[in-house]
Amino acid sequence: MTPVLEARNLVRDYHIPGSLLKRARIVHAVKGVSFAVDQGKTLAIVGESGCGKSTLARIVTMIDPATSGEMLIDGEKVDIARDGLTSEMRRKVQIVFQNPYGTLNPRKKIGDILSEPLIINTRMKADERRDMAMAMLKKVGLEEKHYGRYPHMFSGGQRQRVAIARALMLNPRLLVLDEPVSALDLSVQAQVLNLLADLQDEFQLTYVFISHDLSVVRYIADDVMVMYYGEAVEYGSREEVFSDPKHSYTKTLFAATPRADVDSIKARLARKAA
Ligand SMILES: Nc1ncnc2c1ncn2[C@@H]1O[C@H](COP(=O)(O)OP(=O)(O)OP(=O)(O)O)[C@@H](O)[C@H]1O
Ligand SMILES: [Mg+2]
């Protein structure tokens, strides 16, 4: 099976210009990272602040160029070093950020936020767009009455549902989720994680899930990549990485993690619903 996403030796250097008192320097944010994700699977990328996770997310979503390396989507090479990207390629990969409030236009109603990608990228008629937006609202656990409301009228968890709905409007091949639940309360985290898992099952979605929280990773991931100063120091199936961490950094990371377990939250939610 051809992976949905294949990254080969991705490198990203940032050139920091000098000033009168400081010399110019280069930050090696990502130092040659390779991975692949099959359809319907989740690769979790973990690591401490500044290790290059978001840089990688921006390369994969084609927001930022890579300095070097190769990327293939459905086996087709993407021009990540330059701007020769087609909108066709771009729409195959969508991103959800940690803080949806920053990315949802506060002056637009939810319905318009969801329809916007369709206006730009398709020839759908207004009523078709509306139907699709309504259907997507329901898919992410919101209701038709939310269609005409503004982002500030929603809770954090609901806003993240809107961001997920918007990301799915163009039927992407890959969803990159950069700390999508980190700003939410624990019980809301579990609900959004369950939603992502349900959507993945229903649409055979492929995820790159970035997190610094190992209990979340343990719950959501098929494969895990641990990054440390721009390098992938560990990469394997969730079972491999969790049961037998190889790198000394991963061992320290695991030892230092409190076990606020998403499984127990999930069980609690299930009990509540019963
Ligand atoms: N636009 C930029 N210009 C210069 N340096 C940058 C830029 N973006 C990121 N960096 C640097 O690249 C490195 C990796 O940053 P990145 O944001 O990818 O880390 P991260 O793993 O996402 O961290 P966090 O967990 O805090 O979100 C850091 O040293 C950061 O300072
Ligand atoms: Mg980041």
Side-chain angles (χ1 to χ4, degrees), residues 37 41-43 174-175 177 196 199-200 205-209:
V37 201
K41 300 287 181 203
T42 299
L43 168 69
L174 179 76
L175 204 55
L177 302 132
L196 287 168
L199 291 169
Q200 181 165 55
L205 290 170
T206 309
Y207 294 155
V208 170
F209 191 104

Side-chain angles (χ1 to χ4, degrees), residues 168-271:
L168 294 180
M169 287 305 286
L170 291 171
N171 203 11
R173 293 290 290 151
L174 179 76
L175 204 55
V176 176
L177 302 132
D178 192 352
E179 304 269 9
V181 297
S182 305
L184 306 173
D185 290 344
L186 274 187
S187 64
V188 181
Q189 282 196 13
Q191 290 165 2
V192 174
L193 290 173
N194 286 342
L195 169 68
L196 287 168
D198 290 345
L199 291 169
Q200 181 165 55
D201 286 348
E202 184 172 350
F203 300 114
Q204 275 297 293
L205 290 170
T206 309
Y207 294 155
V208 170
F209 191 104
I210 294 172
S211 179
H212 64 271
D213 185 336
L214 289 176
S215 56
V216 169
V217 169
R218 187 201 288 274
Y219 173 65
I220 198 103
D222 294 295
D223 291 337
V224 177
M225 183 166 90
V226 181
M227 286 185 75
Y228 186 61
Y229 285 105
E231 282 176 276
V233 293
E234 197 112 37
Y235 177 41
S237 73
R238 173 182 58 182
E239 287 70 27
E240 276 163 19
V241 173
F242 273 90
S243 63
D244 186 19
K246 298 272 184 302
H247 195 270
S248 60
Y249 166 69
T250 320
K251 288 178 187 163
T252 332
L253 183 74
F254 282 22
T257 302
R259 305 211 172 261
D261 218 17
V262 172
D263 283 345
S264 69
I265 299 164
K266 212 184 148 199
R268 202 159 63 224
L269 282 176
R271 271 204 306 279

Side-chain angles (χ1 to χ4, degrees), residues 91-221:
R91 58 189 273 193
K92 286 191 170 189
V93 188
Q94 296 293 322
I95 188 162
V96 172
F97 294 100
Q98 175 173 351
N99 172 14
Y101 212 35
T103 56
L104 300 177
N105 187 338
R107 290 192 195 84
K108 287 205 165 145
K109 291 178 181 163
I110 299 309
D112 295 328
I113 289 174
L114 296 187
S115 308
E116 204 169 47
L118 300 175
I119 297 177
I120 298 168
N121 291 285
T122 74
R123 289 162 175 226
M124 283 174 133
K125 295 199 189 80
D127 53 339
E128 291 172 325
R129 293 196 299 262
R130 188 187 161 84
D131 288 350
M132 202 174 156
M134 285 289 190
M136 193 56 83
L137 271 180
K138 286 192 207 147
K139 287 269 179 246
V140 299
L142 295 170
E143 295 166 49
E144 287 195 354
K145 66 177 184 202
H146 293 127
Y147 188 91
R149 296 193 183 164
Y150 291 92
H152 75 268
M153 301 161 103
F154 290 86
S155 69
Q158 286 176 322
R159 276 200 287 270
Q160 203 54 302
R161 287 173 192 268
V162 173
I164 292 166
R166 180 180 56 180
L168 294 180
M169 287 305 286
L170 291 171
N171 203 11
R173 293 290 290 151
L174 179 76
L175 204 55
V176 176
L177 302 132
D178 192 352
E179 304 269 9
V181 297
S182 305
L184 306 173
D185 290 344
L186 274 187
S187 64
V188 181
Q189 282 196 13
Q191 290 165 2
V192 174
L193 290 173
N194 286 342
L195 169 68
L196 287 168
D198 290 345
L199 291 169
Q200 181 165 55
D201 286 348
E202 184 172 350
F203 300 114
Q204 275 297 293
L205 290 170
T206 309
Y207 294 155
V208 170
F209 191 104
I210 294 172
S211 179
H212 64 271
D213 185 336
L214 289 176
S215 56
V216 169
V217 169
R218 187 201 288 274
Y219 173 65
I220 198 103

Side-chain angles (χ1 to χ4, degrees), residues 42-85:
T42 299
L43 168 69
I45 302 181
V46 229
E48 64 195 16
S49 184
C51 70
K53 304 183 296 295
S54 293
T55 302
L56 209 51
R58 288 196 299 270
I59 295 172
V60 169
T61 42
M62 301 165 236
I63 295 170
D64 268 358
T67 306
S68 64
E70 283 184 350
M71 187 167 104
L72 293 91
I73 297 197
D74 289 325
E76 199 183 330
K77 215 160 150 187
V78 176
D79 187 3
I80 41 166
R82 281 176 285 124
D83 287 327
L85 288 166

